[in-house]
Coordinates of all heavy atoms in Angstrom, one line a residue:
M176 N 12.2 -3.7 11.2 CA 11.7 -4.6 12.2 C 12.8 -4.9 13.2 O 13.5 -5.8 13.1 CB 11.1 -5.8 11.6 CG 10.3 -6.7 12.5 SD 9.5 -8.1 11.7 CE 9.6 -8.0 10.0
P177 N 12.8 -4.1 14.3 CA 13.9 -4.3 15.3 C 13.6 -5.6 16.1 O 12.5 -6.0 16.3 CB 13.7 -3.0 16.2 CG 12.3 -2.6 16.0 CD 11.9 -2.9 14.6
T178 N 14.7 -6.1 16.6 CA 14.7 -7.3 17.5 C 15.1 -6.8 18.8 O 16.2 -6.2 18.9 CB 15.6 -8.4 16.9 OG1 15.1 -8.8 15.6 CG2 15.5 -9.6 17.8
V179 N 14.4 -7.2 19.9 CA 14.7 -6.7 21.2 C 14.7 -8.0 22.1 O 13.9 -8.9 22.0 CB 13.6 -5.8 21.7 CG1 13.9 -5.3 23.1 CG2 13.4 -4.6 20.8
D180 N 15.7 -8.1 23.0 CA 15.8 -9.1 23.9 C 14.8 -9.0 25.0 O 14.3 -7.9 25.4 CB 17.2 -9.1 24.6 CG 17.5 -10.3 25.4 OD1 17.6 -11.4 24.7 OD2 17.7 -10.2 26.6
V181 N 14.4 -10.2 25.6 CA 13.3 -10.1 26.6 C 13.7 -9.2 27.8 O 12.8 -8.5 28.3 CB 13.2 -11.6 27.2 CG1 12.2 -11.6 28.4 CG2 12.7 -12.5 26.1
H182 N 15.0 -9.2 28.2 CA 15.4 -8.3 29.3 C 15.1 -6.9 29.0 O 14.7 -6.1 29.8 CB 16.8 -8.6 29.8 CG 17.0 -10.0 30.3 ND1 16.4 -10.5 31.3 CD2 17.7 -11.0 29.7 CE1 16.7 -11.8 31.6 NE2 17.5 -12.1 30.5
A183 N 15.5 -6.4 27.8 CA 15.3 -5.1 27.3 C 13.8 -4.8 27.2 O 13.4 -3.6 27.4 CB 16.1 -4.9 26.0
T184 N 13.1 -5.8 26.8 CA 11.7 -5.6 26.7 C 11.0 -5.2 28.0 O 10.2 -4.3 28.0 CB 10.9 -6.9 26.1 OG1 11.6 -7.3 24.9 CG2 9.5 -6.7 25.9
R185 N 11.5 -5.8 29.0 CA 10.9 -5.4 30.4 C 11.1 -3.9 30.7 O 10.2 -3.3 31.2 CB 11.5 -6.3 31.4 CG 11.1 -7.7 31.3 CD 11.8 -8.5 32.4 NE 11.4 -9.9 32.2 CZ 12.2 -10.9 32.7 NH1 13.2 -10.7 33.4 NH2 11.8 -12.1 32.5
S186 N 12.2 -3.4 30.4 CA 12.5 -2.0 30.7 C 11.9 -1.0 29.7 O 11.8 0.2 29.9 CB 14.0 -1.8 30.9 OG 14.7 -2.0 29.7
Q187 N 11.7 -1.5 28.5 CA 11.3 -0.7 27.4 C 9.9 -0.9 26.8 O 9.5 -0.5 25.8 CB 12.2 -0.7 26.2 CG 13.7 -0.4 26.5 CD 14.6 -0.7 25.4 OE1 14.1 -0.7 24.2 NE2 15.9 -0.8 25.6
L188 N 9.1 -1.6 27.6 CA 7.7 -2.0 27.1 C 6.9 -0.8 26.7 O 6.3 -0.9 25.6 CB 7.0 -2.8 28.2 CG 5.7 -3.4 27.8 CD1 5.8 -4.3 26.6 CD2 5.0 -4.1 28.9
S189 N 6.9 0.3 27.4 CA 6.1 1.4 27.0 C 6.5 2.0 25.6 O 5.6 2.2 24.8 CB 6.2 2.5 28.0 OG 5.3 3.6 27.7
R190 N 7.8 2.1 25.4 CA 8.3 2.6 24.1 C 8.0 1.6 23.0 O 7.6 2.0 21.9 CB 9.9 2.8 24.2 CG 10.4 3.4 22.9 CD 12.0 3.6 23.0 NE 12.7 2.2 23.1 CZ 12.9 1.4 22.1 NH1 12.5 1.8 20.8 NH2 13.6 0.4 22.2
L191 N 8.1 0.3 23.3 CA 7.8 -0.7 22.3 C 6.3 -0.7 21.9 O 6.0 -0.9 20.8 CB 8.3 -2.1 22.8 CG 9.8 -2.3 22.9 CD1 10.1 -3.6 23.6 CD2 10.5 -2.1 21.6
L192 N 5.4 -0.6 22.9 CA 4.0 -0.5 22.6 C 3.7 0.7 21.8 O 2.9 0.7 20.9 CB 3.2 -0.4 24.0 CG 3.2 -1.7 24.8 CD1 2.5 -1.5 26.1 CD2 2.5 -2.8 24.0
D193 N 4.4 1.9 22.0 CA 4.2 3.1 21.2 C 4.6 2.8 19.8 O 3.9 3.2 18.8 CB 4.9 4.3 21.8 CG 4.3 4.8 23.1 OD1 3.2 4.5 23.4 OD2 5.0 5.5 23.8
A194 N 5.7 2.1 19.6 CA 6.2 1.8 18.2 C 5.2 0.8 17.5 O 4.9 1.1 16.3 CB 7.6 1.1 18.3
A195 N 4.7 -0.1 18.3 CA 3.7 -1.0 17.6 C 2.4 -0.3 17.3 O 1.8 -0.5 16.2 CB 3.4 -2.2 18.6
A196 N 2.0 0.6 18.1 CA 0.8 1.4 17.9 C 1.0 2.3 16.6 O 0.0 2.6 15.9 CB 0.4 2.3 19.1
A197 N 2.2 2.7 16.4 CA 2.6 3.5 15.2 C 2.7 2.7 13.9 O 3.0 3.3 12.9 CB 3.8 4.3 15.5
G198 N 2.5 1.4 14.0 CA 2.6 0.5 12.9 C 3.8 -0.2 12.7 O 3.9 -1.0 11.8
E199 N 4.7 -0.2 13.6 CA 6.0 -0.9 13.5 C 5.8 -2.3 14.2 O 5.1 -2.4 15.2 CB 7.1 -0.1 14.2 CG 8.5 -0.6 14.1 CD 9.5 0.3 14.7 OE1 9.2 1.5 15.0 OE2 10.6 -0.2 14.8
E200 N 6.5 -3.3 13.6 CA 6.6 -4.6 14.2 C 7.8 -4.8 15.0 O 8.9 -4.4 14.5 CB 6.4 -5.7 13.1 CG 5.1 -5.8 12.4 CD 5.0 -6.9 11.4 OE1 5.9 -7.8 11.5 OE2 4.0 -7.0 10.7
V201 N 7.8 -5.4 16.2 CA 8.9 -5.6 17.0 C 9.0 -7.1 17.2 O 8.1 -7.7 17.7 CB 8.8 -4.8 18.3 CG1 10.0 -5.0 19.2 CG2 8.6 -3.3 18.0
I202 N 10.2 -7.6 17.0 CA 10.5 -9.0 17.3 C 11.1 -9.1 18.7 O 12.0 -8.4 19.0 CB 11.4 -9.7 16.3 CG1 11.0 -9.5 14.9 CG2 11.8 -11.1 16.7 CD1 9.7 -10.3 14.7
I203 N 10.5 -9.9 19.6 CA 11.1 -10.2 20.9 C 11.8 -11.5 20.9 O 11.3 -12.5 20.5 CB 9.9 -10.2 22.0 CG1 9.2 -8.8 21.9 CG2 10.6 -10.5 23.4 CD1 8.0 -8.8 22.8
A204 N 13.1 -11.5 21.4 CA 13.9 -12.6 21.3 C 14.4 -13.1 22.7 O 14.5 -12.2 23.6 CB 15.2 -12.3 20.4
K205 N 14.6 -14.4 22.8 CA 15.1 -14.9 24.1 C 16.4 -15.7 23.7 O 16.3 -16.6 22.9 CB 14.1 -15.8 24.7 CG 14.4 -16.3 26.1 CD 13.3 -17.1 26.7 CE 13.6 -17.5 28.1 NZ 12.5 -18.2 28.7
A206 N 17.5 -15.3 24.3 CA 18.8 -15.9 24.0 C 19.1 -15.8 22.5 O 19.7 -16.8 21.9 CB 18.9 -17.4 24.5
G207 N 18.7 -14.7 21.9 CA 19.0 -14.5 20.5 C 18.1 -15.1 19.5 O 18.2 -14.9 18.3
K208 N 17.1 -15.9 20.0 CA 16.2 -16.6 19.1 C 14.8 -15.9 19.1 O 14.3 -15.7 20.3 CB 16.0 -18.0 19.4 CG 17.3 -18.9 19.2 CD 17.0 -20.3 19.5 CE 18.3 -21.1 19.3 NZ 18.1 -22.5 19.5
P209 N 14.2 -15.5 18.0 CA 12.9 -14.9 18.0 C 11.8 -15.8 18.7 O 11.8 -17.0 18.4 CB 12.6 -14.7 16.6 CG 13.9 -14.8 15.9 CD 14.7 -15.7 16.6
V210 N 11.0 -15.2 19.6 CA 10.0 -16.1 20.2 C 8.6 -15.4 20.1 O 7.6 -16.0 20.3 CB 10.3 -16.3 21.7 CG1 11.5 -17.1 21.9 CG2 10.5 -15.0 22.5
A211 N 8.6 -14.1 19.8 CA 7.3 -13.4 19.7 C 7.4 -12.2 18.8 O 8.5 -11.7 18.5 CB 6.8 -12.9 21.1
R212 N 6.2 -11.8 18.3 CA 6.2 -10.5 17.4 C 5.1 -9.6 18.0 O 4.0 -10.0 18.2 CB 5.8 -11.0 16.0 CG 5.7 -9.8 15.1 CD 5.3 -10.1 13.7 NE 6.4 -10.9 13.1 CZ 6.2 -11.9 12.3 NH1 5.0 -12.3 12.0 NH2 7.1 -12.6 11.8
L213 N 5.6 -8.4 18.3 CA 4.6 -7.4 18.8 C 4.2 -6.5 17.5 O 5.0 -6.0 16.9 CB 5.4 -6.5 19.8 CG 4.6 -5.4 20.5 CD1 3.5 -6.0 21.3 CD2 5.5 -4.6 21.4
V214 N 2.9 -6.6 17.3 CA 2.4 -6.0 16.0 C 1.2 -5.0 16.5 O 0.7 -5.1 17.5 CB 1.8 -7.0 15.0 CG1 3.0 -7.9 14.5 CG2 0.7 -7.8 15.7
P215 N 0.9 -4.1 15.5 CA -0.2 -3.2 15.8 C -1.5 -3.9 15.8 O -1.7 -4.9 15.2 CB -0.2 -2.3 14.6 CG 1.0 -2.5 13.8 CD 1.5 -3.8 14.2
F216 N -2.4 -3.5 16.8 CA -3.7 -4.1 17.0 C -4.6 -3.5 15.9 O -4.6 -2.3 15.6 CB -4.2 -3.8 18.3 CG -5.6 -4.3 18.6 CD1 -5.7 -5.6 19.0 CD2 -6.7 -3.6 18.5 CE1 -7.0 -6.2 19.2 CE2 -8.0 -4.1 18.8 CZ -8.1 -5.4 19.1
K217 N -5.3 -4.4 15.2 CA -6.3 -4.0 14.2 C -7.7 -4.4 14.7 O -8.0 -5.4 15.1 CB -6.0 -4.8 12.9 CG -4.7 -4.4 12.3 CD -4.5 -5.2 11.0 CE -3.1 -5.0 10.4 NZ -2.9 -5.8 9.2
E218 N -8.5 -3.3 14.6 CA -10.0 -3.5 15.0 C -10.6 -4.4 14.0 O -10.3 -4.3 12.8 CB -10.7 -2.1 15.0 CG -10.2 -1.2 16.1 CD -10.7 -1.6 17.4 OE1 -11.7 -2.3 17.5 OE2 -10.0 -1.2 18.4
K219 N -11.4 -5.3 14.4 CA -12.2 -6.2 13.5 C -13.2 -5.4 12.8 O -13.9 -4.5 13.5 CB -12.8 -7.4 14.3 CG -11.8 -8.3 14.8 CD -12.4 -9.6 15.3 CE -11.4 -10.6 15.7 NZ -11.9 -11.9 16.0
K220 N -13.4 -5.6 11.5 CA -14.4 -4.9 10.7 C -15.7 -5.6 11.1 O -15.8 -6.7 11.4 CB -14.1 -5.1 9.2 CG -12.8 -4.3 8.8 CD -12.6 -4.5 7.3 CE -11.4 -3.8 6.8 NZ -11.1 -4.1 5.5
E221 N -16.8 -4.7 10.9 CA -18.1 -5.2 11.1 C -18.4 -6.2 10.0 O -18.1 -6.0 8.8 CB -19.1 -4.0 11.0 CG -20.5 -4.4 11.5 CD -21.3 -3.1 11.6 OE1 -20.9 -2.2 12.2 OE2 -22.5 -3.2 11.0
P222 N -19.0 -7.4 10.3 CA -19.4 -8.3 9.3 C -20.3 -7.8 8.2 O -21.1 -6.9 8.5 CB -20.0 -9.5 10.0 CG -20.0 -9.1 11.5 CD -19.5 -7.8 11.7
R223 N -20.0 -8.2 7.0 CA -20.9 -7.7 5.9 C -22.3 -8.2 6.0 O -22.5 -9.4 6.5 CB -20.3 -8.2 4.6 CG -19.0 -7.5 4.2 CD -18.5 -7.8 2.8 NE -17.9 -9.2 2.9 CZ -17.6 -9.8 1.8 NH1 -17.7 -9.3 0.7 NH2 -17.0 -11.1 2.0
K224 N -23.2 -7.4 5.7 CA -24.6 -7.8 5.7 C -25.0 -8.4 4.3 O -24.8 -7.8 3.3 CB -25.5 -6.6 6.0 CG -25.2 -6.0 7.4 CD -26.1 -4.8 7.6 CE -25.7 -4.2 9.0 NZ -26.4 -2.9 9.2
L225 N -25.5 -9.6 4.4 CA -25.9 -10.3 3.2 C -27.2 -9.8 2.7 O -28.1 -9.5 3.5 CB -25.9 -11.9 3.4 CG -24.6 -12.5 3.8 CD1 -24.8 -14.0 4.0 CD2 -23.5 -12.2 2.7
G226 N -27.4 -9.8 1.4 CA -28.7 -9.5 0.8 C -29.0 -8.0 0.7 O -30.1 -7.6 0.4
T227 N -28.0 -7.2 0.8 CA -28.3 -5.7 0.7 C -28.7 -5.3 -0.7 O -29.3 -4.2 -0.9 CB -27.0 -4.9 1.1 OG1 -25.9 -5.3 0.3 CG2 -26.7 -5.1 2.6
L228 N -28.3 -6.1 -1.8 CA -28.8 -5.8 -3.1 C -29.9 -6.6 -3.6 O -30.3 -6.6 -4.7 CB -27.6 -6.1 -4.1 CG -26.4 -5.1 -3.9 CD1 -25.3 -5.5 -4.9 CD2 -26.8 -3.7 -4.2
A229 N -30.6 -7.3 -2.6 CA -31.8 -8.2 -3.0 C -32.8 -7.3 -3.6 O -33.2 -6.3 -3.1 CB -32.3 -8.9 -1.7
G230 N -33.3 -7.7 -4.8 CA -34.3 -7.1 -5.5 C -33.9 -5.9 -6.3 O -34.6 -5.3 -7.0
K231 N -32.6 -5.5 -6.3 CA -32.0 -4.4 -7.0 C -31.4 -4.7 -8.3 O -31.1 -3.9 -9.1 CB -31.1 -3.6 -6.1 CG -31.7 -3.0 -4.9 CD -30.7 -2.3 -4.0 CE -31.4 -1.7 -2.8 NZ -30.4 -1.0 -1.9
L232 N -31.1 -6.0 -8.5 CA -30.4 -6.5 -9.7 C -31.3 -7.5 -10.4 O -32.1 -8.2 -9.8 CB -29.1 -7.2 -9.3 CG -28.0 -6.4 -8.7 CD1 -26.8 -7.2 -8.3 CD2 -27.6 -5.2 -9.5
H233 N -31.2 -7.5 -11.8 CA -31.9 -8.5 -12.6 C -30.9 -9.3 -13.4 O -30.1 -8.7 -14.1 CB -32.9 -7.7 -13.5 CG -33.5 -8.7 -14.5 ND1 -34.5 -9.6 -14.1 CD2 -33.4 -8.8 -15.8 CE1 -34.9 -10.3 -15.1 NE2 -34.2 -9.8 -16.2
V234 N -31.0 -10.6 -13.3 CA -30.2 -11.5 -14.1 C -31.1 -12.1 -15.2 O -32.1 -12.7 -14.9 CB -29.5 -12.6 -13.2 CG1 -28.7 -13.5 -14.1 CG2 -28.7 -12.0 -12.1
P235 N -30.8 -11.8 -16.4 CA -31.6 -12.3 -17.5 C -31.6 -13.8 -17.5 O -30.7 -14.5 -17.1 CB -31.0 -11.8 -18.8 CG -29.8 -11.0 -18.4 CD -29.6 -11.0 -17.0
D236 N -32.7 -14.4 -18.0 CA -32.9 -15.8 -18.1 C -31.8 -16.5 -19.0 O -31.4 -17.7 -18.7 CB -34.3 -16.2 -18.6 CG -35.4 -15.8 -17.7 OD1 -35.1 -15.7 -16.4 OD2 -36.5 -15.6 -18.1
D237 N -31.3 -15.8 -20.0 CA -30.3 -16.4 -20.9 C -28.9 -16.1 -20.5 O -28.0 -16.2 -21.2 CB -30.5 -15.9 -22.3 CG -30.3 -14.4 -22.5 OD1 -30.2 -13.7 -21.5 OD2 -30.3 -13.9 -23.6
F238 N -28.7 -15.7 -19.2 CA -27.4 -15.3 -18.7 C -26.3 -16.3 -18.9 O -25.2 -16.0 -19.3 CB -27.5 -15.0 -17.2 CG -26.2 -14.7 -16.6 CD1 -25.5 -13.5 -16.7 CD2 -25.5 -15.7 -15.8 CE1 -24.3 -13.2 -16.1 CE2 -24.3 -15.4 -15.2 CZ -23.7 -14.1 -15.4
D239 N -26.6 -17.6 -18.7 CA -25.6 -18.6 -18.9 C -25.7 -19.5 -20.1 O -25.1 -20.5 -20.2 CB -25.7 -19.6 -17.6 CG -27.0 -20.2 -17.4 OD1 -28.0 -19.9 -18.1 OD2 -27.1 -21.0 -16.4
D240 N -26.4 -18.9 -21.1 CA -26.5 -19.6 -22.4 C -25.2 -19.4 -23.1 O -24.4 -18.4 -22.8 CB -27.6 -18.9 -23.3 CG -29.0 -19.3 -22.9 OD1 -29.1 -20.2 -22.0 OD2 -29.9 -18.8 -23.5
P241 N -24.8 -20.3 -24.0 CA -23.6 -20.2 -24.7 C -23.5 -18.8 -25.5 O -24.5 -18.3 -26.0 CB -23.5 -21.4 -25.7 CG -24.5 -22.3 -25.2 CD -25.6 -21.5 -24.4
L242 N -22.3 -18.3 -25.6 CA -22.1 -17.0 -26.3 C -22.2 -17.3 -27.8 O -21.9 -18.4 -28.3 CB -20.7 -16.5 -26.0 CG -20.4 -16.0 -24.7 CD1 -18.9 -15.7 -24.4 CD2 -21.3 -14.9 -24.3
P243 N -22.6 -16.3 -28.6 CA -22.7 -16.3 -30.0 C -21.2 -16.6 -30.6 O -20.3 -16.2 -29.9 CB -23.2 -15.1 -30.5 CG -23.9 -14.4 -29.3 CD -23.2 -15.0 -28.1
D244 N -21.1 -17.3 -31.7 CA -19.7 -17.7 -32.1 C -18.8 -16.5 -32.3 O -17.7 -16.5 -32.1 CB -19.9 -18.5 -33.3 CG -18.6 -19.3 -33.6 OD1 -18.0 -19.8 -32.7 OD2 -18.1 -19.3 -34.8
D245 N -19.4 -15.3 -32.9 CA -18.6 -14.2 -33.1 C -18.0 -13.6 -31.9 O -16.9 -13.1 -31.8 CB -19.3 -13.2 -34.0 CG -20.6 -12.7 -33.4 OD1 -21.2 -13.4 -32.6 OD2 -20.9 -11.5 -33.7
V246 N -18.8 -13.5 -30.8 CA -18.4 -13.0 -29.5 C -17.3 -13.9 -28.9 O -16.3 -13.5 -28.4 CB -19.6 -12.8 -28.6 CG1 -19.1 -12.4 -27.2 CG2 -20.6 -11.8 -29.1
L247 N -17.6 -15.3 -29.0 CA -16.7 -16.2 -28.4 C -15.3 -16.2 -29.2 O -14.3 -16.2 -28.6 CB -17.3 -17.6 -28.6 CG -16.5 -18.8 -27.9 CD1 -16.3 -18.5 -26.4 CD2 -17.2 -20.1 -28.2
A248 N -15.4 -15.9 -30.5 CA -14.2 -15.8 -31.3 C -13.4 -14.6 -30.8 O -12.1 -14.7 -30.8 CB -14.5 -15.6 -32.8
D249 N -14.0 -13.5 -30.4 CA -13.2 -12.3 -30.0 C -12.5 -12.6 -28.6 O -11.4 -12.3 -28.5 CB -14.2 -11.2 -29.8 CG -14.7 -10.5 -31.0 OD1 -14.0 -10.8 -32.0 OD2 -15.7 -9.9 -31.0
F250 N -13.2 -13.4 -27.8 CA -12.6 -13.8 -26.5 C -11.4 -14.7 -26.7 O -10.5 -14.7 -26.0 CB -13.7 -14.4 -25.6 CG -14.4 -13.5 -24.8 CD1 -15.7 -13.2 -25.2 CD2 -13.9 -12.9 -23.7 CE1 -16.5 -12.3 -24.5 CE2 -14.7 -11.9 -23.0 CZ -16.0 -11.7 -23.3
E251 N -11.6 -15.6 -27.7 CA -10.5 -16.6 -27.9 C -9.4 -16.1 -28.8 O -8.5 -16.8 -29.1 CB -11.2 -17.9 -28.4 CG -12.0 -18.6 -27.4 CD -12.8 -19.8 -27.9 OE1 -12.8 -19.9 -29.2 OE2 -13.3 -20.6 -27.2
G252 N -9.6 -14.9 -29.4 CA -8.6 -14.4 -30.3 C -8.6 -15.0 -31.7 O -7.7 -15.0 -32.5
R253 N -9.7 -15.5 -32.1 CA -9.9 -16.1 -33.4 C -10.3 -15.1 -34.4 O -10.9 -14.1 -34.0 CB -10.9 -17.3 -33.4 CG -10.5 -18.5 -32.6 CD -11.6 -19.6 -32.7 NE -12.6 -19.4 -31.8 CZ -13.9 -19.5 -32.1 NH1 -14.2 -19.9 -33.4 NH2 -14.9 -19.3 -31.3
C254 N -10.1 -15.4 -35.6 CA -10.4 -14.5 -36.7 C -11.9 -14.5 -36.9 O -12.6 -15.6 -37.1 CB -9.8 -15.0 -38.0 SG -10.4 -14.2 -39.5
P255 N -12.7 -13.3 -36.8 CA -14.2 -13.4 -36.8 C -14.7 -13.8 -38.2 O -15.6 -14.5 -38.3 CB -14.5 -11.9 -36.6 CG -13.3 -11.2 -36.1 CD -12.2 -12.0 -36.4
I256 N -13.9 -13.6 -39.3 CA -14.4 -14.0 -40.6 C -14.2 -15.5 -40.7 O -15.1 -16.2 -41.2 CB -13.5 -13.3 -41.7 CG1 -13.9 -11.8 -41.7 CG2 -13.9 -13.9 -43.1 CD1 -12.9 -10.9 -42.5
C257 N -13.1 -16.0 -40.2 CA -13.0 -17.5 -40.2 C -14.0 -18.2 -39.4 O -14.5 -19.2 -39.8 CB -11.6 -17.9 -39.7 SG -10.2 -17.2 -40.7
A258 N -14.4 -17.6 -38.3 CA -15.4 -18.2 -37.4 C -16.7 -18.3 -38.1 O -17.5 -19.2 -38.0 CB -15.5 -17.4 -36.1
R259 N -17.1 -17.2 -38.9 CA -18.3 -17.2 -39.7 C -18.4 -18.3 -40.7 O -19.5 -18.9 -40.9 CB -18.5 -15.9 -40.4 CG -19.0 -14.8 -39.4 CD -19.5 -13.5 -40.1 NE -19.3 -12.4 -39.2 CZ -18.4 -11.4 -39.3 NH1 -17.6 -11.4 -40.4 NH2 -18.4 -10.5 -38.5
I260 N -17.3 -18.7 -41.3 CA -17.3 -19.7 -42.3 C -16.9 -21.1 -41.8 O -16.8 -22.1 -42.5 CB -16.4 -19.4 -43.6 CG1 -15.0 -19.2 -43.2 CG2 -17.0 -18.1 -44.2 CD1 -14.1 -19.0 -44.4
G261 N -16.6 -21.1 -40.5 CA -16.4 -22.3 -39.8 C -15.0 -22.9 -39.8 O -14.7 -24.1 -39.5
L262 N -14.0 -22.0 -40.2 CA -12.6 -22.4 -40.2 C -12.0 -22.3 -38.7 O -12.3 -21.3 -38.1 CB -11.8 -21.6 -41.1 CG -12.1 -21.7 -42.6 CD1 -11.1 -20.7 -43.4 CD2 -11.7 -23.2 -43.1
T263 N -11.2 -23.2 -38.4 CA -10.5 -23.1 -37.1 C -9.2 -22.4 -37.3 O -8.8 -22.1 -38.5 CB -10.2 -24.5 -36.5 OG1 -9.3 -25.1 -37.4 CG2 -11.4 -25.3 -36.3
R264 N -8.5 -22.0 -36.3 CA -7.3 -21.2 -36.4 C -6.2 -22.0 -37.2 O -5.5 -21.4 -38.0 CB -6.8 -20.9 -35.0 CG -5.6 -20.1 -35.0 CD -5.1 -19.8 -33.6 NE -4.7 -18.4 -33.5 CZ -4.6 -17.7 -32.4 NH1 -4.9 -18.3 -31.3 NH2 -4.2 -16.5 -32.5
R265 N -6.1 -23.3 -37.0 CA -5.2 -24.1 -37.7 C -5.4 -24.1 -39.2 O -4.5 -24.1 -40.0 CB -5.2 -25.5 -37.2 CG -3.8 -26.1 -36.9 CD -3.8 -27.4 -36.3 NE -3.3 -27.2 -35.0 CZ -3.4 -28.1 -34.0 NH1 -4.1 -29.2 -34.2 NH2 -2.8 -27.9 -32.9
E266 N -6.8 -24.3 -39.5 CA -7.1 -24.4 -41.0 C -6.9 -23.0 -41.7 O -6.7 -23.0 -42.9 CB -8.5 -24.7 -41.1 CG -8.8 -26.2 -40.6 CD -10.3 -26.4 -40.5 OE1 -11.1 -25.4 -40.5 OE2 -10.7 -27.6 -40.5
S267 N -7.0 -21.9 -40.9 CA -6.9 -20.6 -41.6 C -5.4 -20.2 -41.8 O -5.2 -19.3 -42.6 CB -7.6 -19.5 -40.8 OG -7.0 -19.4 -39.5
A268 N -4.5 -20.8 -41.1 CA -3.1 -20.4 -41.2 C -2.4 -21.0 -42.4 O -2.8 -21.8 -43.1 CB -2.3 -20.9 -40.0

């Protein structure tokens, strides 16, 4: 990321614009202190369209029901056998 003085920027603007267009960032300084950053221009993306999957997905009625204990034990790293008989991790150790 090169730093260029304001005076040099005036005479080299075309070259600096080419560098920015190529993806390089250029810092413009005045009296040795950075005052501006010349960066590549990015085109704005087209906004996403909401509802494009409407009617294409089905969420079951029991989607947010509690998980069965054996599945929950797998997620929590508990012993499946201990979970079946109701022991906690501390009791099984």
Side-chain angles (χ1 to χ4, degrees):
M176 190 173 350
T178 301
V179 181
D180 190 64
V181 173
H182 298 293
T184 302
R185 290 180 185 157
S186 62
Q187 300 176 20
L188 184 58
S189 182
R190 184 183 65 79
L191 296 173
L192 289 174
D193 289 341
E199 191 174 344
E200 291 186 10
V201 178
I202 302 297
I203 300 172
K205 186 174 185 180
K208 293 184 180 180
V210 293
R212 179 180 295 146
L213 185 61
V214 296
F216 181 78
K217 294 181 183 176
E218 293 287 336
K219 289 191 176 187
K220 294 181 181 177
E221 192 173 311
R223 290 186 283 172
K224 295 178 184 173
L225 298 178
T227 56
L228 293 176
K231 296 180 182 178
L232 300 175
H233 172 72
V234 179
D236 293 333
D237 65 349
F238 174 76
D239 57 355
D240 285 354
L242 292 173
D244 197 41
D245 58 332
V246 174
L247 188 59
D249 289 341
F250 277 102
E251 294 175 343
R253 291 185 280 135
C254 168
I256 296 170
C257 298
R259 283 191 203 110
I260 61 173
L262 291 177
T263 64
R264 185 178 220 162
R265 224 178 247 166
E266 294 170 344
S267 63

